[in-house]
Amino acid sequence: MVIPALPLWLGYWIQWHVLGPAQAISDWSQIVGLVPSILGVYLRQVFYRGILPYVGPDASIGFGVLLASSSTRIGKGAYIGPYCVLGDVDVGDDVLFGSAVSIINGARQHGTERLDIPVREQPGEWPRISIGRDSWIGDRAVVMADIGAHCVVGAGAVVTKPVPDYAIVVGNPARIVKYRNETPATRLARSS
């Protein structure tokens, strides 16, 4: 499966040198994201393993997935569902993303204080996001902050603050509703 990826890698590296890494990863993730079926999953696996710092050997990257950073890391056993958009992120081992999950780099990507220059030209902050191992991010969630290990993020949740290990969060903005490692006794003690 390496041979079909050779022209893709070549095109990516040429564009990387001519237009820069941000434009290259954006354009080429769109191209490889449109290959359907199991062939597309394998092609994306091979392509991304050749250009990203790390992609686990059994990671699955779905149809229509777009990457915005050439420093994205995807762990072993990770599943990235169809139509996800990933910014600069470290995805841990055994992480599951539902469909159309967006991982954006913080809530302050654009300044808004000045009125004399457009928002798109104002400086912002782009923190790298980390998703801890064995976490599950539900369909259409938006993640702007780190998520710990063994977490569950409900479908449609908007994560604006870091989520601690084992937390289950839902809503907009996301709030903790319980912990996966809680027993009835610890839940009672926490609520008192």
Side-chain angles (χ1 to χ4, degrees):
M1 193 58 154
V2 172
I3 292 173
L6 290 175
L8 299 173
W9 287 332
L10 179 62
Y12 171 82
W13 289 113
I14 289 170
Q15 187 171 358
W16 190 88
H17 288 292
V18 174
L19 299 176
Q23 189 65 51
I25 192 69
S26 175
D27 290 352
W28 286 92
S29 73
Q30 291 176 49
I31 292 168
V32 301
L34 293 177
V35 180
S37 74
I38 195 75
L39 174 66
V41 172
Y42 287 122
L43 185 62
R44 284 184 286 280
Q45 220 309 317
V46 172
F47 176 72
Y48 288 128
R49 286 190 79 188
I51 65 167
L52 296 178
Y54 182 77
V55 175
D58 54 351
S60 178
I61 302 166
F63 181 83
V65 171
L66 301 178
L67 273 65
S69 173
S70 58
S71 62
T72 296
R73 300 174 65 89
I74 300 172
K76 298 183 297 186
Y79 172 82
I80 312 297
Y83 304 107
C84 290
V85 179
L86 307 182
D88 191 10
V89 60
D90 286 320
V91 177
D93 294 345
D94 301 311
V95 167
L96 302 173
F97 285 3
S99 299
V101 170
S102 292
I103 308 295
I104 63 175
N105 297 98
R108 294 186 175 91
Q109 295 180 4
H110 303 285
T112 57
E113 293 75 28
R114 294 186 55 184
L115 300 176
D116 59 327
I117 58 174
V119 169
R120 68 178 170 80
E121 293 178 9
Q122 295 185 44
E125 300 171 13
W126 297 78
R128 184 173 180 85
I129 302 297
S130 175
I131 311 294
R133 72 174 314 277
D134 184 38
S135 288
W136 173 24
I137 316 298
D139 285 10
R140 302 189 190 294
V142 177
V143 177
M144 300 182 216
D146 291 344
I147 295 176
H150 312 287
C151 292
V152 175
V153 175
V158 179
V159 178
T160 59
K161 296 178 181 170
V163 175
D165 292 351
Y166 299 100
I168 298 174
V169 299
V170 299
N172 178 6
R175 67 191 185 294
I176 299 170
V177 292
K178 70 185 249 182
Y179 287 86
R180 289 180 64 198
N181 62 344
E182 267 184 339
T183 64
T186 59
R187 189 174 306 124
L188 181 63
R190 186 173 62 89
S191 66
S192 331

